[in-house]
Amino acid sequence: HVIVHEPAAYEAWLSNMKIAPPKPQREQERRGQQLFLLRGCAACHTIMGTAAVGKRGPDLTRIGSRMTIAAGTLPPTEGNVAHWVAANDAVKPNNLMPSYGSLPREEIDALAAYLMS
């Protein structure tokens, strides 16, 4: 995929990418942010504007605005993010992220809602 912008639109997009995203609005998203910080996700991943500053995994700031997730294997939906969190090895075998399938479903759904927000 290639996205082409006029120079001014590109500069506006680039400036926006340097600003921390808004705080989660819905309760489920706020719970997901708490879980992201508590369940070890922040040890490997960064999300701008939060205490998550891990460098081992990809930066997940604005993951919901991407064209794909999971190294280009899935479209970015809450359901796909939840599936990746719970069973990422089934999506991309031998990846380095641990599976969080043992988490309660409501926690996985909250993490997905937060990441997509």
Side-chain angles (χ1 to χ4, degrees), residues 2 7 10-11 17 22 26 35-36 39 42 45 51 53-57 66 70 72 79-80 88 95 98 103:
V2 175
Y10 172 74
E11 290 301 326
M17 291 295 108
R26 298 180 317 164
L35 290 165
F36 189 89
R39 293 289 189 197
H45 298 284
V53 294
K55 300 294 182 201
R56 184 172 183 164
R66 297 179 187 173
N80 283 340
N88 55 69
N95 74 85
L103 291 178

Side-chain angles (χ1 to χ4, degrees), residues 90-115:
V91 176
K92 186 178 175 202
N94 302 314
N95 74 85
L96 298 177
M97 183 173 145
S99 174
Y100 287 91
S102 63
L103 291 178
R105 185 66 205 196
E106 61 271 7
E107 289 189 13
I108 292 171
D109 290 344
L111 283 163
Y114 167 60
L115 290 168

Side-chain angles (χ1 to χ4, degrees), residues 1 62-77 80-81:
H1 299 276
R62 293 185 182 84
I63 190 172
S65 69
R66 297 179 187 173
M67 296 183 78
T68 63
I69 61 167
T73 59
L74 298 170
T77 66
N80 283 340
V81 170

Side-chain angles (χ1 to χ4, degrees), residues 47-60:
I47 294 184
M48 193 183 321
T50 73
V53 294
K55 300 294 182 201
R56 184 172 183 164
D59 184 329
L60 298 180

Side-chain angles (χ1 to χ4, degrees), residues 29-45:
E29 295 164 1
R30 289 190 293 271
R31 177 73 177 130
Q33 183 181 48
Q34 291 171 338
L35 290 165
F36 189 89
L37 298 170
L38 292 172
R39 293 289 189 197
C41 308
C44 293
H45 298 284

